[in-house]
Amino acid sequence: MKTANRSSNKRESSYGITGRAFNAEIDPLIAVIDLRKRFKSLEVLKGIDLYIKQGSVTVLIGPSGSGKSTLLRCINQLETIQGGDIQFEGHSIARGPVDINKVRQRIGMVFQHFNLFPHLTVLENITLGPRKLRKMPTAEANALAEKLLKQVGLSDKRDAYPSQLSGGQKQRIAIARTLAMEPDVILFDEPTSALDPEMVGEVLEVMKDLAKDGMTMIIVTHEMGFAREVASKVVFMADGVIQESGTPEMLFEHPQSERLVNFLGKVLK
């Protein structure tokens, strides 16, 4: 199943803001501008600038506590910010009146710990959002779920409950559930870090297929081989700032900062 990019050239915003039309050919889909985030006295993000083009795969790497997951949560509006701005299709989603629920339908997020509803079947988990938020008829939502289950290789699990699934299967269902909302971009927050090693590959394969199909993704991961293979751009964060960014070849083969050299020396052993 090819993943459709719902952002067309010069299409008007549809999440509660009016203004200049978005042009996918020249405008970043997401623009993070001088973003600052603080938890009490601790400044976690210290002026982040990041621009995400439609169809790109941006992989965030760096040591624990560098602010990678917090950045994703800010983009998805799960955290409020103290400075700067976040723009989606040329419009601020961090400041001013915005329909956050509509924004989150178009900026999907896959979490580390799946967050499936334990009392619902796999099919019901996937169709809940389309039926309730997109007002999709049940038959249409079921057909979409069946197609997505085939895409992630789990057609035989449609009537299973989350407790009957492995960790890798749960994460693939979580991805299918996110895809059911037909988002323009998906944020992945360490999607394989809670999995046993033998289950990591099956989730990464689904993500690789999404990249091939043109899905815009921002991914926090410690899987360096995956980053090398899939990323359009790799961003190295440390101490709440972006230390370096560029192509996988630039960062992995020609790191410029001592901090990145030391980080790669630890994770690539």
Side-chain angles (χ1 to χ4, degrees):
M1 170 185 165
K2 289 288 183 182
T3 304
N5 280 313
R6 293 170 57 212
S7 295
S8 59
N9 292 350
K10 300 184 179 179
R11 191 192 64 182
E12 292 292 346
S13 167
S14 63
Y15 48 87
I17 301 175
T18 57
R20 184 183 69 80
F22 168 69
N23 187 331
E25 293 180 358
I26 61 175
D27 297 329
L29 183 63
I30 294 175
V32 177
I33 305 166
D34 193 29
L35 181 63
R36 297 177 183 274
K37 171 63 184 176
R38 185 183 304 106
F39 294 105
K40 296 184 178 179
S41 62
L42 177 64
E43 191 175 22
V44 179
L45 300 177
K46 305 173 183 178
I48 299 293
D49 291 304
L50 183 65
Y51 300 91
I52 307 298
K53 292 194 67 174
Q54 183 171 293
S56 66
V57 178
T58 302
V59 175
L60 308 181
I61 65 172
S64 297
S66 59
K68 306 182 300 297
S69 294
T70 299
L71 174 57
L72 291 193
R73 292 177 63 84
C74 289
I75 292 173
N76 197 243
Q77 297 298 286
L78 293 171
E79 300 284 355
T80 56
I81 65 174
Q82 279 74 52
D85 197 11
I86 302 168
Q87 297 180 0
F88 180 61
E89 293 190 341
H91 304 281
S92 176
I93 57 173
R95 302 187 179 281
V98 178
D99 188 332
I100 295 301
N101 289 326
K102 288 187 177 180
V103 171
R104 288 181 182 150
Q105 289 180 39
R106 297 182 57 200
I107 303 179
M109 190 158 180
V110 176
F111 297 89
Q112 181 177 348
H113 292 292
F114 327 129
N115 295 345
L116 299 176
F117 292 107
H119 63 291
L120 300 180
T121 66
V122 162
L123 189 75
E124 290 167 340
N125 264 282
I126 296 172
T127 60
L128 183 63
R131 289 189 296 104
K132 298 295 185 181
L133 299 176
R134 299 178 60 199
K135 309 303 181 184
M136 185 179 289
T138 298
E140 185 179 344
N142 287 347
L144 175 60
E146 296 276 9
K147 187 179 294 186
L148 292 171
L149 283 171
K150 182 178 180 180
Q151 182 177 346
V152 300
L154 291 172
S155 295
D156 61 329
K157 300 297 183 183
R158 69 185 300 279
D159 297 318
Y161 287 88
S163 62
Q164 298 171 305
L165 305 176
S166 69
Q169 290 170 337
K170 289 177 185 177
Q171 193 61 291
R172 283 187 280 164
I173 296 303
I175 293 172
R177 180 181 59 182
T178 301
L179 289 171
M181 299 303 293
E182 297 187 347
D184 294 294
V185 57
I186 302 180
L187 315 177
F188 289 87
D189 188 11
E190 299 192 37
T192 61
S193 62
L195 303 180
D196 293 334
E198 64 269 21
M199 298 177 184
V200 170
E202 61 192 45
V203 174
L204 295 182
E205 284 301 318
V206 171
M207 295 171 66
K208 289 176 186 178
D209 287 341
L210 291 177
K212 292 175 184 176
D213 287 346
M215 173 59 73
T216 308
M217 298 187 285
I218 309 176
I219 304 165
V220 173
T221 186
H222 295 289
E223 301 292 335
M224 297 298 115
F226 172 79
R228 282 178 183 265
E229 181 180 350
V230 175
S232 311
K233 178 169 66 176
V234 178
V235 176
F236 173 61
M237 292 182 63
D239 303 319
V241 300
I242 293 176
Q243 302 271 347
E244 291 188 48
S245 67
T247 65
E249 181 183 6
M250 288 171 59
L251 262 72
F252 289 115
E253 303 299 333
H254 308 286
Q256 299 298 304
S257 67
E258 183 178 353
R259 190 69 187 272
L260 178 54
V261 170
N262 291 337
F263 174 77
L264 293 177
K266 294 175 181 176
V267 299
L268 296 178
K269 286 182 178 179

